[in-house]
Amino acid sequence: MEQMRKSYLGWLRDAHAMEEQALTMMQGMVNRLEHYPELRDRIQTHIAETEGQEAELRRLLDGYGESSSMVKDAMGKLAAVGQAMSGVFASDEVVKGTLASYTFEHMEIASYRILIAAAGQLGDSQAVEVFRRCLSEEEAMADWLANHSSEITRQFLARTELDLPAGR
Ligand code: MG
Ligand code: FE
């Protein structure tokens, strides 16, 4: 039981760090999307959802007596991923950002599935409920990106042809 709890809390800390990383990534991207208002609005909505997720995970960590400063470790692990996703943006950053976001949402989906299984195993049904809520928000965001990536790509290509500032 003790080992199980340790594993679970480690994954929870990683997930909390992941949400902080998600916020950094999306906040960096959203201001550069003035030519893609639909994508910008969807990301804005997901930023609000993500702030809620971050707060809920922090509340769970607090409840288990886990200090938030332990999050630092996991942040380091995710820094490389975050850099790839929020850092170097090229002229096609809207397409690269769409790709990165789609990838990130699926990492989140996988993480919440793992947390649901672990919290279920430990009998923490309240935590399971929190993770289920987060999972459905991530799935909705991933679906939205899946349904809009073709259109975003076509818009980007059309703007490039017209010599408009296409990358955003
Ligand atoms: Mg999230
Ligand atoms: Fe997400």
Side-chain angles (χ1 to χ4, degrees), residues 77-145:
K77 281 181 219 159
L78 279 167
V81 180
Q83 238 159 37
M85 294 180 170
S86 66
V88 202
F89 276 117
S91 60
D92 61 345
E93 76 168 285
V94 65
V95 175
K96 293 251 163 67
T98 302
L99 170 62
S101 300
Y102 189 71
T103 307
F104 203 96
E105 293 310 324
H106 283 82
M107 182 168 70
E108 295 185 284
I109 287 168
S111 301
Y112 285 115
R113 292 219 174 102
I114 288 164
L115 285 172
I116 287 166
Q121 205 63 26
L122 284 156
D124 190 340
S125 55
Q126 272 193 325
V128 169
E129 237 177 83
V130 169
F131 301 144
R132 285 225 172 98
R133 246 187 345 258
C134 296
L135 175 62
S136 66
E137 289 172 350
E138 312 304 13
E139 285 173 337
M141 183 60 178
D143 284 351
W144 192 96
L145 290 165

Side-chain angles (χ1 to χ4, degrees), residues 18-19 22 46 50 53 105 108 112 138:
M18 172 183 74
E19 294 303 350
H46 199 53
T50 304
Q53 294 169 355
E105 293 310 324
E108 295 185 284
Y112 285 115
E138 312 304 13

